[in-house]
Amino acid sequence: MTAREMLRFKGPKYLRQRIVCATLASKPIVIEGIRPLDENPGLTDYEASFLRLMDKITNGTTIEINETGTVLKYRPGVIVGGRRLEHNCGVSRGIGYFLEGLVCLLPFGKKQSSITLTGITNNESDLSVDLFRTVTLRLMRFFMPDAEELSIKILKRGAPPLGGGEILFVCPVVRQLQSVQLDEPGHLTKIRGISYTTKVAPAMANRMGEAAKELLGEVCEDVYTYNDHYRKAEGGRSPGYALSLVAESSKGGLLSVEACATTESLVAEEVGLLAARMLCEEMHRGGFVDTNQQWLVLLFMALTPEDVSKVLLGKMSKYTISLLRNIRKFFDVVFKIKASGDQVLLTCLGCGFKNLSKYVT
């Protein structure tokens, strides 16, 4: 593909989406106008770190950045993955920022991968490692039913600002995804939560959980939160605490949220109430998955065999709408969208994506 044939984009918004889609579709891209007028123009440290991570899990990828960092040329190679990989995610963004790319790409590597990521495990701007473990991986199994080894293990917690967290992500490979029918969420059956604390009193976890259960008990009879306390080296470098909640339905639907705080911000009861209110909002929006998980389901639906897949969503986020546009550009897959009250039913015919790198066993 010549320079003129490269897909061109402007601005840093949705950079990860474009890099991930380009890697899967094996299409080179150019991103111009990356913060040219900012005091610190060009790529941020975490965007550059994400590109280094892409280089680690692929073979043959070329990345060209101009002197000011405002123009990026990305030519993807082959997704390889690997054993005992390591990546320091820094402290500008959470580990979830980087995991989002890995869960989309590593299933299509040559062989099963295991990668240790260090940094911030829970913050206010990125999907937490708890929600990746309790929700994202379960959604992936709808498309990868035989992926028994798929797992995330939290080795150390890392709260902002200093982080110090560590997780191990293990991802098997698949030849092809399975089409899905996720258009019937079913009825609410239970709510589960994880109250994590690090370098603060363990009682903070109980206070968060009890505050959330007091509100959520009005909408569901089966509400339970688990306490997850970390201390000393396993607690990272900063004190912090958070509560993640997952509402599960009779058909396997998963609606999740997380409220996160440091010791200088919200008190424990406020964190618990905030998480409960956020979950109530997600349940009001409805759908099979929550707002933060829409991207994974839609991308995997586009990659399924040439068969019809469906999912019912609540209100789509701007991030999701951008992904739909990128899916059309990279894979020529168009979703049929049908409004149903405040919810939308999305249907598509998969592009028949196959992992040609997978070792034959």
Side-chain angles (χ1 to χ4, degrees):
M1 185 175 282
T2 65
R4 288 186 177 181
E5 293 174 320
M6 296 176 75
L7 291 174
R8 309 186 80 85
F9 300 94
K10 191 168 185 178
K13 219 170 184 182
Y14 312 120
L15 181 140
R16 282 177 304 165
Q17 282 187 12
R18 292 162 179 169
I19 293 297
V20 167
C21 289
T23 306
L24 288 169
S26 298
K27 293 182 179 179
I29 62 172
V30 178
I31 302 177
E32 302 170 305
I34 303 175
R35 304 181 186 89
L37 304 178
D38 284 15
E39 184 177 345
N40 297 308
L43 294 167
T44 61
D45 58 344
Y46 56 84
E47 289 167 340
S49 180
F50 185 80
L51 290 172
R52 290 194 296 271
L53 178 59
M54 294 299 100
D55 189 49
K56 285 181 182 178
I57 66 169
T58 59
N59 185 22
T61 294
T62 60
I63 301 169
E64 299 176 30
I65 304 171
N66 70 346
E67 292 183 1
T68 60
T70 57
V71 178
L72 165 67
K73 292 182 180 179
Y74 180 81
R75 290 183 172 84
V78 178
I79 304 169
V80 177
R83 303 271 187 168
R84 295 184 291 276
L85 297 174
E86 296 181 358
H87 187 73
N88 184 349
C89 301
V91 293
S92 297
R93 295 297 293 262
I95 289 175
Y97 177 89
F98 301 85
L99 263 178
E100 187 171 319
L102 295 178
V103 297
C104 297
L105 298 175
L106 289 183
F108 306 106
K110 282 191 173 182
K111 54 185 176 180
Q112 179 170 302
S113 296
S114 60
I115 180 167
T116 300
L117 302 175
T118 55
I120 292 174
T121 55
N122 305 74
N123 65 2
E124 296 177 344
S125 57
D126 300 297
L127 202 61
S128 73
V129 295
D130 294 282
L131 295 184
F132 268 98
R133 183 178 61 175
T134 58
V135 180
T136 307
L137 298 191
R138 291 168 67 181
L139 292 174
M140 291 175 70
R141 289 190 177 96
F142 281 109
F143 300 89
M144 305 162 51
D146 299 325
E148 296 179 0
E149 299 89 353
L150 187 65
S151 67
I152 290 176
K153 185 176 181 180
I154 302 173
L155 305 175
K156 298 178 183 178
R157 287 284 180 180
L162 300 180
E166 183 177 313
I167 68 129
L168 174 64
F169 176 43
V170 177
C171 185
V173 295
V174 294
R175 176 73 72 182
Q176 196 168 21
L177 299 178
Q178 180 174 289
S179 57
V180 296
Q181 303 294 316
L182 308 178
D183 53 332
E184 294 184 12
H187 61 272
L188 176 66
T189 57
K190 60 183 178 181
I191 296 174
R192 293 292 181 264
I194 298 175
S195 297
Y196 110 81
T197 55
T198 177
K199 296 188 181 298
V200 297
M204 301 283 276
N206 286 327
R207 290 164 56 188
M208 284 188 291
E210 290 301 320
K213 284 189 281 186
E214 187 174 347
L215 177 59
L216 294 174
E218 300 177 7
V219 296
C220 181
E221 294 181 355
D222 189 358
V223 182
Y224 189 84
T225 61
Y226 302 86
N227 295 344
D228 197 14
H229 180 64
Y230 287 73
R231 64 182 66 188
K232 296 183 179 179
E234 293 183 350
R237 302 192 183 104
S238 297
Y241 47 95
L243 173 62
S244 61
L245 296 170
V246 183
E248 303 183 28
S249 80
S250 57
K251 297 288 188 178
L254 299 167
L255 302 177
S256 64
V257 297
E258 180 175 86
C260 181
T262 63
T263 51
E264 289 78 29
S265 54
L266 301 177
V267 299
E269 288 79 7
E270 291 175 322
V271 173
L273 284 174
L274 176 60
R277 292 187 184 117
M278 291 167 63
L279 185 62
C280 288
E281 289 178 7
E282 285 291 348
M283 290 190 289
H284 178 71
R285 294 188 188 103
F288 198 92
V289 299
D290 59 81
T291 309
N292 289 325
Q293 303 284 352
Q294 293 173 351
W295 56 272
L296 174 82
V297 173
L298 294 177
L299 178 60
F300 275 17
M301 282 173 59
L303 299 177
T304 57
E306 295 178 6
D307 197 1
V308 175
S309 289
K310 299 179 181 179
V311 66
L312 185 68
L313 301 179
K315 183 179 178 180
M316 290 188 293
S317 66
K318 291 182 179 179
Y319 191 79
T320 301
I321 294 170
S322 169
L323 178 62
L324 291 175
R325 292 173 178 148
N326 284 322
I327 286 174
R328 182 171 186 174
K329 286 181 181 178
F330 285 97
F331 305 104
D332 199 26
V333 172
V334 179
F335 283 79
K336 179 182 178 182
I337 303 175
K338 181 180 179 181
S340 175
D342 294 331
Q343 301 175 347
V344 287
L345 177 65
L346 287 93
T347 308
C348 79
L349 191 68
C351 68
F353 184 86
K354 292 182 179 179
N355 180 8
L356 301 178
S357 300
K358 182 178 182 294
Y359 283 159
V360 177
T361 56

